[in-house]
Amino acid sequence: MSLLEPKTWQSAHPRPLSGPEYTVTEPATGEALGTVTLAAAEDVAPATEIARAAQREWARAPHFVRAAVLRKAGDLFTAHAGELREWLVRESGSIPGKADFELHVAAQECYEAATLASRPTGQVLPTEAPRLSYTRRIPVGVVGVISPFNAPLILSIRSVAPALALGNAVVLKPDPRTAVCGGLSLAAVFAEAGLPEGLLHVLPGGAGTGQALVADPLVPVISFTGSTAAGRAVGEAAGRRLKRAHLELGGNSALVVLEDADLDAVISTAAWGSFFHQGQICMTTGRHLVHRSRYDEYVERLAARADSLAVGDPHRAQVHLGPLIDAPQLAKVHGLVEASIANGARLAAGGTYEELFYRPTVLADVDDTAPAYTEEVFGPVAPVRPFDTADEAVALAADSPYGLSLGIVTRDTARGLELAERIPTGIVHINDQTVNDEAVAPFGGIAASGTGARFGGEANVEAFTDLRWTTTRGDVATYPF
């Protein structure tokens, strides 16, 4: 039986939505895959009201009841992997391997979230008075989740699953371009898993819908993943209302290749870091910093690897890269490449496209005047720059407004860790590229990349609960007046 029947999509909403119909389109072909009704700003309040009413009973449910729903949801992501994989491939332009990774992480996020329901929720505190003094974690109520198009399933479930497990309700606004695999698929899975009605609302919509969700008085916590520019606006709007906003934003992550690196191994790592999912990953390796003694060979070999990769329709052919998500994204990517070449960068590979299929691109001899080096490209572009000393490598890696992920390749792991300590970043991988994710690990960046590790493992408890102090005495306290 199909998990994603149209009637199931409608069950994700508290009432018929008032926005326009939106055609779900396959980026590789332009083919219409179906239609969804978008949510307008006025659809948010009814959803949050229903969610708040349902959340009170859910928070009182025994921990094992909540955990059972999350475990069942994890099982369903595996049981329906074939159908969900096809949606991820066709709607988001993922190659099948990337779709399988998203499904694996989605299941693991549910299993990990299930363990949150039964974890200790507080501490007994020492006190000067004759009383019991303790803290307790309590659900925040309704969590607003705003997720992007690039890894739509992962970037929705990593907030939805722990928020539900900890006793909250969720209103999820996925990107309309991936409304099915990033939103409606979650509603279908949790409905089949036995999640009580009213606890999960999926409202695919545009910026106005997101703004209404951030402004809604019944939503005290916003979990946002997206661009730095949009994240600043969300953070400012939430701050004015004294709400918590967990922001996971853009990046321009560096891969530092030291002089002792094994190039036979590192080229695969480097290519994956820049070209995986067409570079449409916040952790994408956006800057390759290579010791000058290895620079020429590195550029040559990375360019050869880029030229060898197949680009095409991931649903109908075996390819390494699929399409970019849409025409505006392609125009942005190509514009940054052309501007960088005009500023003196050397095109070593790629730089061409057909329809939405952009060739993996290597830019050599870049400097601070190359926009593809200084900005987040969000496309399959690998700018490469040489350095002479470790201190210079540290300075170059740290010279960015972003601070999401960092890779360092060296045979001397202790040296790699020492260099990493000097570079501001939220995530570090020694002898690996910058794109990694696990449900049990804290995830997040600093500076323009976000507000720190707010997702994954124990970080979820702080993100989606409030800490309450409680005292109790046997007798009523007396005071001097």
Side-chain angles (χ1 to χ4, degrees):
M1 177 181 176
S2 173
L3 183 70
L4 291 168
E5 296 178 357
K7 62 182 180 62
T8 305
W9 299 3
Q10 289 304 315
S11 71
H13 313 310
R15 64 174 190 174
L17 297 179
S18 53
E21 282 198 344
Y22 181 86
T23 301
V24 180
T25 303
E26 182 178 30
T29 63
E31 179 183 337
L33 302 176
T35 58
V36 297
T37 303
L38 298 184
E42 57 264 33
D43 295 312
V44 172
T48 61
E49 290 169 3
I50 293 171
R52 185 69 183 98
Q55 183 271 332
R56 296 186 180 96
E57 189 66 27
W58 178 242
R60 289 192 292 266
H63 64 85
F64 59 84
V65 171
R66 285 184 269 123
V69 171
L70 271 298
R71 287 194 298 269
K72 179 64 173 176
D75 292 342
L76 288 169
F77 278 115
T78 300
H80 293 281
E83 180 183 6
L84 296 174
R85 180 190 302 112
E86 183 170 345
W87 273 103
L88 283 162
V89 170
R90 301 191 69 185
E91 187 183 27
S92 74
S94 301
I95 62 172
K98 187 260 191 181
D100 288 338
F101 176 72
E102 285 210 53
L103 289 163
H104 169 75
V105 172
Q108 294 303 314
E109 290 283 358
C110 291
Y111 298 143
E112 177 67 16
T115 71
L116 298 177
S118 59
R119 293 190 189 184
T121 60
Q123 294 178 314
V124 176
L125 304 176
T127 177
E128 298 177 5
R131 62 190 179 187
L132 173 64
S133 176
Y134 63 94
T135 61
R136 177 170 168 253
R137 287 282 178 182
I138 60 172
V140 299
V142 180
V143 174
V145 179
I146 302 175
S147 61
F149 72 86
N150 56 317
L153 182 54
I154 291 176
L155 300 181
S156 293
I157 195 66
R158 72 173 180 187
S159 294
V160 170
L164 290 172
L166 291 164
N168 300 288
V170 175
V171 177
L172 166 64
K173 191 206 82 66
D175 190 302
R177 292 170 290 184
T178 48
V180 178
C181 56
L184 299 171
S185 64
L186 278 76
V189 163
F190 279 102
E192 189 168 330
L195 184 72
E197 290 187 8
L199 289 170
L200 175 59
H201 301 262
V202 178
L203 304 178
T209 307
Q211 291 164 0
L213 184 58
V214 174
D216 192 282
L218 297 182
V219 181
V221 170
I222 295 292
S223 177
F224 174 86
T225 304
S227 71
T228 297
R232 291 187 196 279
V234 169
E236 290 171 3
R240 286 195 298 272
R241 295 167 174 84
L242 302 181
K243 296 185 178 191
R244 295 211 304 270
H246 304 307
L247 308 175
E248 201 278 282
L249 310 177
N252 191 8
S253 299
L255 179 67
V256 179
V257 181
L258 298 179
E259 66 271 19
D260 63 347
D262 177 4
L263 290 193
D264 289 336
V266 78
I267 293 303
S268 171
T269 298
W272 185 268
S274 282
F275 305 143
F276 176 61
H277 194 46
Q278 299 79 262
Q280 298 174 127
I281 301 287
C282 59
M283 299 170 282
T284 289
T285 302
R287 295 176 294 152
H288 295 246
L289 307 176
V290 183
H291 192 272
R292 193 175 298 277
S293 65
R294 317 303 301 277
Y295 175 77
D296 290 336
E297 182 182 2
Y298 185 95
V299 170
E300 181 181 355
R301 294 178 69 168
L302 184 59
R305 182 62 57 90
D307 286 338
S308 74
L309 299 178
V311 181
D313 182 347
H315 181 57
R316 297 167 179 84
Q318 186 172 347
V319 297
H320 300 98
L321 283 75
L324 294 174
I325 190 65
D326 57 20
Q329 184 61 26
L330 184 140
K332 176 195 172 186
V333 171
H334 193 57
L336 289 172
V337 169
E338 288 193 313
S340 298
I341 295 170
N343 283 9
R346 174 168 60 89
L347 182 65
T352 61
Y353 63 91
E354 184 177 343
E355 297 178 331
L356 295 181
F357 301 104
Y358 203 88
R359 289 292 313 171
T361 298
V362 177
L363 294 174
D365 306 335
V366 297
D367 59 20
D368 292 339
T369 67
Y373 173 82
T374 58
E375 300 180 28
E376 181 183 35
V377 178
F378 230 61
V381 179
V384 191
R385 181 171 183 172
F387 64 86
D388 292 297
T389 67
D391 287 343
E392 184 185 2
V394 168
L396 289 172
D399 186 21
S400 172
Y402 298 101
L404 182 51
S405 188
L406 168 70
I408 298 178
V409 181
T410 176
R411 297 178 192 268
D412 185 346
T413 56
R415 184 188 183 201
L417 288 168
E418 187 275 327
L419 292 179
E421 290 297 312
R422 300 163 58 190
I423 301 170
T425 186
I427 301 167
V428 175
H429 302 294
I430 306 299
N431 287 324
D432 203 349
Q433 45 78 40
T434 55
V435 182
N436 280 276
D437 196 7
E438 291 187 34
V440 299
F443 185 95
I446 60 175
S449 290
T451 52
R454 295 293 185 266
F455 306 99
E458 293 293 337
N460 288 318
V461 177
E462 181 180 349
F464 302 120
T465 64
D466 288 320
L467 187 62
R468 173 181 290 176
W469 178 39
T470 301
T471 68
T472 181
R473 305 171 56 113
D475 300 316
V476 177
T478 59
Y479 294 90
F481 61 87

